[in-house]
Amino acid sequence: MRQSFRFIGRSTPRMDGVAKVTGREIYASDIYLPDMLYARVLKSPYPHARVKHIDVSGAERLGAVVVTYRDVPDVVYCPRLVSTPEATYKDWRVLTGKPLYVGDPIAAVAAESEELAQRALEAIEVEFEVLEPSFDPLESMRPGKPLLHERIRYMGEEVEVENNIACTMEIEQGDVERGFEEADVVLEREYRTNRRYHCQLEPKTAVVRPEPGGGVTIWTTTQSIHNTRLLIHEIFGIPVGKINVVKTALGGSFGSSIQTNIVVPIAVALALKARKPVRLAYTREEDLHEHCAYQMIFRLKLGARRDGRLTAGSLEAILDIGAHQIQAYPLLGCLVGWWVSLYKLPNLRYVGKAVYTNKVPSCAMRGYGNPQITWAVESLMDELAEELGLDPLEFKLLNHVGLGDLFWGQGPTVKSIIKSSGVEELVRRGAKLIGWDKRPKPGAQRGRYRRGIGFGRGFHTSSAGAPVPGTVVDYTGAMLKVNEDGTLDYITAMMDCGGGTLTAHAKIIAEEIGVPLECVNIVRADTQTTLYDVCTHASRGVYAGGAAALQVAREVKRKLLELAARVLDAYPHALKIRPDEKRGQGVIYVEGVEGREITIGELASMARHKNWGTIAAVASVRQGSCPPHFTAYFVEVEVDTETGKVRPVRVVAGADVGRVINPKLAEGQIHGGFAMGWSMALLEDTPYDPRSGDLLNKGFITDYKIPTAGDLPSLEDFQVFFVETEEPTGPFGAKGLGEGALNPVAGAIANAIYNAIGVRFYELPITPDKILKALKGGERR
Amino acid sequence: MKIRFKLNGREIEAEVEPNTLLLNLLREHLHLTGAKYGCGIGECGACTVLLDGEPILSCLTLAVEVDGREVTTIEGLARDGELHPLQRAFLEEGAVQCGFCTPGMILTAKALLDENPNPSEDEIREYLKGNLCRCTGYVNIVKAVKRAAEEMRG
Amino acid sequence: MSLWINRIDTHILPINFQYHAPETLEEALKLLAEYGDEAKILSGGTDLLVKMKQRLIEPRHIISLRNLTELRGISEVEGGIHIGAATKLREIERSQIIAERLPLLHEAVKAIGSIQIRNMGTIGGNLCNASPAADSAVALMTLGAELHAQSIEGERIIPIEDFFKGPGVTALKPVELLTAIRIPPPPENYGWAFMKIGRTSLDIATVNAAVLLTLRGGRIDLCRIALGAVAPTPVRAVRAEEHLRGREPTPELIQEASELVVEDISPITDVRGTAEYRVEASKALVRDALKLSIERAGGGGR
Ligand SMILES: Cc1cc2nc3c(=O)[nH]c(=O)nc-3n(C[C@H](O)[C@H](O)[C@H](O)COP(=O)(O)OP(=O)(O)OC[C@H]3O[C@@H](n4cnc5c(N)ncnc54)[C@H](O)[C@@H]3O)c2cc1C
Ligand code: FES
Ligand code: FES
């Protein structure tokens, strides 16, 4: 039954790999231009204040070019352009006279060296009127609390903000009260997540060169070159055609550059004023003051009958979004989508509120709220199963949203039917591999070191595609042209954040046409030479971006066969193409008739000499759904009850990503997802110091720990398997993976800790301190 | 101040200030951008280079201090266009994702294999713990180092 | 209000200073005498440069130890083992002498930072930086190390117990240089342990502990316990030591001793851990370290 493929399903090295292992890859932060100025940003030292007076003469005396909030365009914008106007609230300015968090940019300087720029920065004098800050969303919402934003913009109008509530969403289906009445067991818990930081290895950077004629060229850390371009147009009014954003490699991102990072408009403002190239590279400390993940408080309630059927659920979610909206409103929608697409709830109620606080603005971070809600749901389902006396695996399988069910994908506006699912097999195979049947009884152990096994499952959408337009922009453009030697230039605006997205596209093209992989040349492109692509996010790189690659490949193949038919005097549909590794290109041949063949290079040359024109294709592709890819994690941990330290003992991770395009790179996503989930569960947080209003770690990663090679399970204790399904809408049956690889991890770990010590934790991270306190406070069952 | 040192096998001379950091000398003045800034305070290892064969952090090293010594950056690892076995293994094992940690990671691993041609998995993990990677969870990196070690032992 | 947010730029070293690389110790001491407070010694720089980048100190003069080979090296001397202050941590870790004679120090040094940090950092820097969490400090405290300090006035020897005065503060005068660490020969058949808890495997200690003890006739004889990151300086757990001395090491005794640790520590709550956690972790570390030390000293004690 299985089709045999040449490239799909085989591990091949990534195409940008040689550049990366030799240090020749160019990231935005590696761009240094002749005559370039170095920029530094003056950041608010107060969490909430108003600038009364700013004196930049000291900086100017040092020879620096300075811009302040008074010099930038008076435009209120939203830095993320993924949603349509109906789902976009605007509350940002390039620089501000009313800072809303410690680190909020007020002014910026550019000078000939970074040292001089730093000195100029220190020479700026500012007088502030200090305003009352709020660091807690519940407090922020209290009537009478000072407002961060009095008015924000929506669909071209000003709207008032009440009680610091940025936006809300409510959804009700069925009869929730009745549903809970029908339940035999109802559990209600409050969960609080941590406020994580992406800690992508490359801090945010923008290099901007003003061009003759009023344009700008931009190199920046971005997941979307086209959205960066459109935003700069929106803010500065530069004609779109004169703004060129160049693709560079990206040193990790995890969602932190879906929006255009603040460094970009600031560097543009400076470059326009200085009329020289400007480089604004954030330090790690500044980067930690630029973005973080959404911190959430959930009140989650689920009811089930004795037979294990869920009857109703309610979720109240409060999102602590920090000082600005990046995508709070779409997130409220996605959050309910993630929630109801895990388990079937015949009756449900959802109330979501996004609240402003005087903290670093939050944005998507790998999973866009899904890891947060999945942790809560997987924890509560585990607890509920125990109350019902059911095996959590069976309980979850019984209720899970699977094949043929309605899937809410990217929220209530994006619903589609699930057409491929390996959930059952993921769970059964994983359970066998970890030895689920032999797991201990929760809280039954008495020794110092206690082991436990936990299970968590989850999913993520592949893209934000849908059968109807909805409120999310999701399409990708691609171009493919055949060169005269038989190689192909593949031109796309899509970014590779490290997942190997573009290598997957190349494999799709090579497979479809029938050329050696090396023939596909991924062109270093920019916004002026590519079609629009929305963004590399939402695990859409392979599924949605790959679909565009497939479409242009098909079109090019059709044209190749048509021309070859003329030359070979055969019918196009009787021709085949095979990759000829020796000749380093594809060969078009007539099956069964020996010698009747021509290489693609020969054909392309002939097309040139005979003036047939370039063999090429262009496409802009929108997927009609966003199928879930599924994952299941089984994690064994060991808790040291004297130090509270938790050690990973064993991990079994399974994924249904549709057809696997590149096994090694796909496994890599799981490995990375586990590492991130491990520290989400146990380690990461960015607490604030209420006295200074700043991050407690002041931005130093000395005190933002992520796991090292020494903290994770050994090779033989980390097992990854794939359950291959065929997604009918995906290129070669493929779906996504990046985010599903993370989503269930924290839940699985929390359940494992419970299994080991019999204590449940409702707040992340589960630090050694909390574990010891809980153990001391008597072992709660 | 004038300094002379060996960089990737070549004797070079540079004019630096007392407060010039080796990382910035390499990246901005010598145009070798393989060593990365990831934190500037010693925590991430992205700026790792080899000083007389030993991995050190160029973000915490004054350029003047390498006077008379030998510095190897990732750009100096491949010889005559031939990738080092570690570089090949990183490619083949899928140990590279975003690649921002890769130059530092490979140089540290090289120092490890130079001093210990047959490291255990624990030794590899211990040796690499000063090089943070946010993408890979280190699994394929550890595999790559093992594979390169095997290959280099022949 | 954040005082640092606009002052820190970790891309660069935004401080101007004069750089000196004396060729001899004498020259170095002269420079120190001349510049005193305005100068800072640069050994490996892993603490100094970080602090300068964080704008915690802004020295006008930097005196590098890079040419002073006499401050480097490990040797066995009459009074025990001599380690030059500017000896790299990595060299100590690799030293046969240290591994065999002072395995406790070997382990403590191995626990410091990463390979890169240990290739750069020195033992003298670890001590002179005077972090309450310095890993080598607790080990050297139980080993009874003596610190040799020199100025143009001459040399003096400071017992390590008297060296640490507070976070970042030592008994050294601004004109003094730490030249060497001398560790007396440890007693016969001693047991030892070094333990450390951090948030990850690359971390400054949330708590660290070292133990050195001997047994005589099945009873604890000599006993030294030191803890780090639980007081303004590394501290000895004197009360616990007293309680153990002369007694048979039973699990109950170890438990009692570990409880007594709280009498000598005064932990604070910070980003790395709460005070309560540090108390509990100190007890656990001391229990573990005692058990292991007793075992290594040939005692049965489980
Ligand atoms: C990422 C990272 C991780 C770390 N992890 C650890 C850890 O796990 N455990 C730990 O204990 N430390 C750790 N450290 C701290 C540091 O690396 C060690 O303390 C190291 O030993 C310092 O030595 P150095 O030679 O680099 O000191 P330097 O930075 O050169 O000097 C430190 C201080 O001592 C002074 N000084 C140095 N030598 C002398 C001398 N001979 N006489 C007088 N004064 C002198 C300097 O002026 C300076 O004030 C870490 C640091 C970093 C950046
Ligand atoms: S940049 Fe040097 S260690 Fe992070
Ligand atoms: S590959 Fe991205 S940080 Fe390592």
Side-chain angles (χ1 to χ4, degrees):
Chain A
M1 181 197 112
R2 244 196 91 143
Q3 251 178 290
S4 75
F5 294 111
R6 290 197 177 89
F7 307 111
I8 307 288
R10 309 237 160 112
S11 288
T12 42
R14 51 184 313 129
M15 304 192 71
D16 52 5
V18 174
K20 284 179 172 173
V21 298
T22 53
R24 304 283 174 187
E25 183 66 290
I26 298 296
Y27 298 79
S29 54
D30 293 331
I31 303 283
Y32 298 88
L33 302 174
D35 205 23
M36 179 189 83
L37 303 181
Y38 290 77
R40 296 283 299 149
V41 170
L42 184 81
K43 300 161 290 281
S44 172
Y46 293 101
H48 199 180
R50 206 183 303 274
V51 177
K52 276 167 60 183
H53 183 71
I54 181 161
D55 178 0
V56 302
S57 57
E60 285 172 342
R61 268 199 301 278
L62 288 168
V65 176
V66 187
V67 292
T68 74
Y69 60 94
R70 289 187 301 224
D71 308 321
V72 291
D74 185 24
V75 173
V76 178
Y77 65 91
C78 174
R80 173 185 173 272
L81 299 182
V82 173
S83 295
T84 58
E86 301 80 53
T88 304
Y89 290 88
K90 301 181 175 185
D91 62 18
W92 287 74
R93 280 165 203 278
V94 179
L95 296 164
T96 181
K98 189 192 182 243
L100 300 175
Y101 59 97
V102 171
D104 208 350
I106 295 167
V109 301
E112 268 152 33
S113 71
E114 179 143 358
E115 196 175 327
L116 190 59
Q118 176 61 25
R119 255 194 282 147
L121 184 74
E122 291 177 35
I124 296 178
E125 283 172 26
V126 194
E127 213 180 300
F128 291 96
E129 176 195 340
V130 177
L131 304 173
E132 185 191 339
S134 159
F135 301 110
D136 182 83
L138 302 178
E139 198 188 299
S140 250
M141 280 194 292
R142 243 177 251 143
K145 269 277 164 186
L147 294 178
L148 277 79
H149 304 269
E150 276 166 19
R151 264 168 242 98
I152 57 179
R153 295 189 73 82
Y154 177 69
M155 303 273 284
E157 309 264 314
E158 292 214 319
V159 292
E160 307 233 324
V161 177
E162 275 175 38
N163 300 330
N164 284 314
I165 297 173
C167 48
T168 60
M169 188 180 288
E170 293 189 19
I171 285 174
E172 193 153 351
Q173 281 195 352
D175 184 337
V176 189
E177 305 313 329
R178 266 258 313 278
F180 282 125
E181 273 164 30
E182 282 169 12
D184 295 309
V185 179
V186 176
L187 290 182
E188 185 174 4
R189 299 282 182 261
E190 191 173 297
Y191 296 87
R192 244 172 215 266
T193 75
N194 29 4
R195 194 174 191 82
R196 291 171 299 140
Y197 162 60
H198 303 67
C199 209
Q200 81 294 345
L201 221 56
E202 181 182 28
K204 301 307 171 197
T205 299
V207 180
V208 177
R209 183 175 66 202
E211 302 295 351
V216 286
T217 304
I218 301 171
W219 295 260
T220 182
T221 44
T222 182
Q223 294 174 237
S224 171
I225 53 174
H226 281 281
N227 285 350
T228 302
R229 183 193 214 192
L230 293 177
L231 184 75
I232 293 307
H233 165 71
E234 180 182 333
I235 297 172
F236 293 92
I238 304 171
V240 174
K242 290 193 171 189
I243 304 166
N244 195 22
V245 184
V246 183
K247 253 206 300 190
T248 59
L250 186 55
S253 187
F254 311 108
S256 59
S257 290
I258 292 172
Q259 72 278 16
T260 297
N261 300 114
I262 192 72
V263 288
V264 183
I266 296 177
V268 170
L270 281 168
L272 291 178
K273 182 157 181 191
R275 296 166 193 266
K276 280 188 179 186
V278 167
R279 172 189 165 92
L280 176 52
Y282 261 2
T283 62
R284 176 59 64 190
E285 295 71 42
E286 289 172 313
D287 198 75
L288 245 152
H289 285 93
E290 210 261 355
H291 53 89
C292 65
Y294 290 96
Q295 183 170 18
M296 304 184 178
I297 304 170
F298 301 124
R299 179 153 277 285
L300 178 63
K301 185 174 171 185
L302 293 175
R305 285 200 309 257
R306 281 266 161 252
D307 65 5
R309 288 272 172 205
L310 288 169
T311 58
S314 82
L315 172 66
E316 275 173 55
I318 292 172
L319 278 48
D320 178 350
I321 65 168
H324 289 284
Q325 302 201 42
I326 292 175
Q327 66 259 92
Y329 184 73
L331 175 56
L332 288 175
C334 280
L335 193 62
V336 63
W338 311 143
W339 174 48
V340 305
S341 298
L342 271 166
Y343 299 105
K344 280 177 242 175
L345 297 167
N347 307 287
L348 64 96
R349 183 192 303 129
Y350 168 72
V351 182
K353 287 195 182 101
V355 184
Y356 290 120
T357 55
N358 293 102
K359 300 196 277 193
V360 171
S362 305
C363 67
M365 175 170 169
R366 199 179 197 173
Y368 194 29
N370 198 334
Q372 289 95 318
I373 188 64
T374 298
W375 159 64
V377 171
E378 287 300 281
S379 297
L380 193 58
M381 287 293 283
D382 203 63
E383 204 171 337
L384 202 51
E386 195 175 9
E387 286 290 327
L388 290 165
L390 296 172
D391 182 338
L393 296 191
E394 300 304 333
F395 178 51
K396 290 177 181 179
L397 277 179
L398 181 69
N399 290 289
H400 87 275
V401 176
L403 200 62
D405 291 331
L406 190 65
F407 175 65
W408 283 34
Q410 293 261 344
T413 63
V414 182
K415 290 180 185 164
S416 55
I417 301 290
I418 298 178
K419 300 190 186 78
S420 65
S421 161
V423 172
E424 174 125 18
E425 198 184 335
L426 285 175
V427 175
R428 300 262 178 248
R429 240 160 92 186
K432 202 177 253 166
L433 288 169
I434 197 90
W436 178 255
D437 292 344
K438 290 182 219 81
R439 77 188 189 287
K441 264 177 84 92
Q445 300 166 65
R446 281 291 160 266
R448 169 172 178 176
Y449 297 99
R450 300 179 200 168
R451 288 192 175 190
I453 293 176
F455 164 63
R457 57 166 293 271
F459 68 89
H460 203 77
T461 63
S462 316
S463 87
V468 293
T471 56
V472 195
V473 178
D474 195 296
Y475 66 92
T476 296
M479 284 189 260
L480 187 65
K481 62 185 176 41
V482 181
N483 298 323
E484 288 67 16
D485 62 348
T487 59
L488 301 148
D489 282 337
Y490 174 55
I491 304 159
T492 175
M494 193 169 236
M495 299 289 297
D496 192 328
C497 306
T501 310
L502 296 183
T503 303
H505 289 192
K507 293 178 79 163
I508 287 169
I509 292 167
E511 188 74 53
E512 177 62 23
I513 300 181
V515 296
L517 190 51
E518 305 75 56
C519 278
V520 186
N521 170 39
I522 299 167
V523 173
R524 273 283 147 90
D526 54 39
T527 48
Q528 286 177 345
T529 54
T530 53
L531 275 67
Y532 182 84
D533 168 61
V534 64
C535 191
T536 303
H537 73 147
S539 304
R540 64 184 295 282
V542 169
Y543 174 75
L550 182 60
Q551 187 154 324
V552 288
R554 277 192 183 138
E555 181 67 12
V556 161
K557 184 173 188 179
R558 192 184 58 76
K559 291 184 179 172
L560 283 171
L561 296 185
E562 244 167 45
L563 292 179
R566 288 194 211 169
V567 178
L568 298 176
D569 190 21
Y571 305 102
H573 55 265
L575 294 178
K576 292 242 150 85
I577 308 181
R578 65 162 194 271
D580 187 326
E581 301 289 342
K582 258 213 229 102
R583 282 189 265 187
Q585 53 175 309
V587 176
I588 308 169
Y589 63 99
V590 187
E591 210 172 23
V593 186
E594 207 163 322
R596 197 73 80 85
E597 62 175 45
I598 184 170
T599 66
I600 294 180
E602 286 159 357
L603 187 65
S605 289
M606 191 177 290
R608 191 171 93 87
H609 299 144
K610 294 196 186 283
N611 293 292
W612 292 341
T614 301
I615 307 163
V618 178
S620 187
V621 176
R622 151 79 165 179
Q623 282 285 27
S625 64
C626 55
H629 54 280
F630 296 101
T631 50
Y633 274 88
F634 292 83
V635 182
E636 181 172 3
V637 301
E638 180 177 270
V639 183
D640 179 343
T641 55
E642 293 193 12
T643 62
K645 296 280 280 182
V646 183
R647 187 175 72 80
V649 177
R650 227 155 27 110
V651 182
V652 170
D656 156 22
V657 300
R659 171 102 54 223
V660 184
I661 305 269
N662 203 342
K664 271 209 177 117
L665 295 189
E667 277 177 32
Q669 290 294 307
I670 302 263
H671 301 145
F674 177 76
M676 203 176 259
W678 177 257
S679 55
M680 168 182 172
L682 302 170
L683 214 51
E684 296 182 35
D685 204 5
T686 56
Y688 280 72
D689 178 349
R691 280 165 308 167
S692 69
D694 193 4
L695 295 165
L696 211 51
N697 72 359
K698 305 178 186 144
F700 294 116
I701 56 163
T702 319
D703 293 311
Y704 190 85
K705 287 293 173 195
I706 63 170
T708 75
D711 296 314
L712 295 163
S714 67
L715 297 181
E716 63 168 20
D717 295 321
F718 196 153
Q719 220 172 329
V720 177
F721 68 94
F722 291 100
V723 171
E724 262 199 324
T725 60
E726 171 129 12
E727 169 56 38
T729 63
F732 291 102
K735 301 189 267 189
L737 172 58
E739 295 171 278
L742 166 68
N743 295 342
V745 176
I749 291 167
N751 289 338
I753 292 175
Y754 172 73
N755 187 236
I757 61 174
V759 184
R760 291 206 187 268
F761 294 88
Y762 300 98
E763 189 185 279
L764 295 180
I766 307 170
T767 58
D769 187 25
K770 290 180 192 163
I771 289 178
L772 286 193
K773 270 201 194 112
L775 286 170
K776 248 182 139 177
E779 306 192 351
R780 204 146 43 105
R781 278 293 315 273
Chain B
M1 304 169 87
K2 185 164 277 176
I3 59 168
R4 303 176 113 261
F5 64 106
K6 211 173 188 183
L7 177 61
N8 295 332
R10 275 187 37 225
E11 215 41 79
I12 68 152
E13 235 178 60
E15 186 63 39
V16 301
E17 296 297 320
N19 65 348
T20 304
L21 297 167
L22 178 57
L23 177 63
N24 297 335
L25 172 67
L26 292 171
R27 289 175 54 82
E28 295 177 28
H29 303 282
L30 303 171
H31 310 294
L32 294 175
T33 54
K36 308 292 182 201
Y37 166 95
C39 70
I41 53 168
E43 294 285 334
C44 76
C47 65
T48 301
V49 299
L50 302 181
L51 182 61
D52 297 335
E54 304 274 12
I56 57 124
L57 303 169
S58 59
C59 73
L60 291 181
T61 302
L62 296 182
V64 290
E65 298 255 305
V66 304
D67 185 35
R69 305 183 66 177
E70 182 169 357
V71 174
T72 309
T73 69
I74 189 71
E75 290 91 343
L77 203 57
R79 289 274 170 223
D80 309 319
E82 182 76 17
L83 293 183
H84 186 277
L86 270 162
Q87 292 173 314
R88 260 198 324 264
F90 267 63
L91 279 179
E92 274 153 21
E93 288 296 336
V96 180
Q97 287 188 28
C98 82
F100 209 74
C101 69
T102 307
M105 196 72 84
I106 290 181
L107 288 173
T108 307
K110 175 180 188 297
L112 166 65
L113 298 188
D114 285 348
E115 79 176 71
N116 179 359
N118 191 10
S120 69
E121 181 177 340
D122 283 350
E123 284 167 336
I124 296 171
R125 287 181 181 275
E126 172 67 27
Y127 209 95
L128 294 182
K129 75 180 187 190
N131 290 84
L132 297 180
C133 175
R134 187 60 149 168
C135 300
T136 65
Y138 309 99
V139 178
N140 291 348
I141 292 175
V142 174
K143 283 186 189 162
V145 176
K146 284 188 111 167
R147 177 175 178 156
E150 261 166 50
E151 196 180 310
M152 286 165 73
R153 287 197 309 274
Chain C
M1 173 177 151
S2 161
L3 296 168
W4 46 78
I5 188 126
N6 289 311
R7 289 173 46 77
I8 290 166
D9 181 354
T10 53
H11 286 140
I12 56 171
L13 199 52
I15 295 165
N16 288 305
F17 52 81
Q18 231 182 312
Y19 173 83
H20 311 268
E23 298 285 339
T24 63
L25 179 58
E26 203 189 325
E27 211 184 305
L29 296 178
K30 270 201 195 130
L31 287 165
L32 264 183
E34 189 177 342
Y35 300 120
D37 268 343
E38 299 207 320
K40 272 284 172 192
I41 300 287
L42 171 63
S43 193
T46 59
D47 279 318
L48 182 67
L49 262 63
V50 172
K51 282 190 177 166
M52 285 167 72
K53 282 186 162 184
Q54 298 181 337
R55 304 295 285 273
L56 296 170
I57 43 174
E58 307 206 345
R60 306 275 291 277
H61 297 270
I62 291 285
I63 303 169
S64 169
L65 303 183
R66 62 183 298 246
N67 295 325
L68 303 187
T69 41
E70 62 260 59
L71 294 190
R72 291 211 183 181
I74 300 157
S75 53
E76 284 189 81
V77 293
E78 211 168 302
I81 288 165
H82 170 103
I83 306 176
T87 307
K88 297 284 179 197
L89 295 167
R90 191 82 179 121
E91 193 178 331
I92 299 174
E93 181 188 348
R94 282 172 168 160
S95 153
Q96 200 64 29
I97 301 178
I98 301 293
E100 277 165 19
R101 303 285 313 280
L102 303 171
L104 168 55
L105 183 61
H106 171 86
E107 288 236 337
V109 163
K110 232 174 68 178
I112 297 177
S114 56
I115 287 290
Q116 291 95 322
I117 292 291
R118 300 199 295 282
N119 276 329
M120 301 169 75
T122 61
I123 183 114
N126 195 231
L127 296 174
C128 294
N129 186 57
S131 156
D135 287 314
S136 77
V138 283
L140 291 171
M141 272 174 101
T142 59
L143 288 164
E146 288 175 340
L147 309 186
H148 292 229
Q150 223 169 306
S151 68
I152 45 170
E153 310 277 287
E155 189 182 63
R156 67 181 176 123
I157 292 171
I158 311 169
I160 191 162
E161 305 275 318
D162 302 335
F163 188 73
F164 302 110
K165 297 296 181 195
V169 188
T170 68
L172 289 180
K173 302 195 190 94
V175 296
E176 276 180 323
L177 188 73
L178 180 70
T179 53
I181 295 114
R182 179 97 28 120
I183 300 140
E188 292 284 299
N189 297 329
Y190 72 102
W192 59 275
F194 173 82
M195 307 238 153
K196 171 176 177 177
I197 293 187
R199 291 158 298 181
T200 66
S201 63
L202 176 70
D203 198 8
I204 293 161
T206 312
V207 183
N208 57 15
V211 165
L212 186 151
L213 53 74
T214 57
L215 296 177
R216 194 160 56 179
R219 288 167 190 275
I220 295 177
D221 187 19
L222 180 121
C223 177
R224 298 192 195 127
I225 304 171
L227 286 153
V230 287
T233 65
V235 287
R236 288 274 293 274
V238 186
R239 241 54 66 88
E241 292 175 3
E242 275 167 13
H243 188 74
L244 291 162
R245 228 164 267 141
R247 304 221 181 147
E248 203 182 313
T250 60
E252 296 71 37
L253 185 77
I254 290 172
Q255 180 63 33
E256 286 162 21
S258 74
E259 296 291 333
L260 284 173
V261 162
V262 291
E263 311 256 333
D264 288 299
I265 63 177
S266 49
I268 55 162
T269 293
D270 63 16
V271 254
R272 293 177 194 146
T274 61
E276 300 81 35
Y277 179 71
R278 285 196 161 97
V279 167
E280 292 309 314
S282 300
K283 292 187 207 164
L285 281 198
V286 165
R287 274 195 300 271
D288 285 349
L290 282 171
K291 283 180 205 162
L292 187 58
S293 302
I294 290 160
E295 220 174 275
R296 282 178 171 151
R302 289 167 301 108

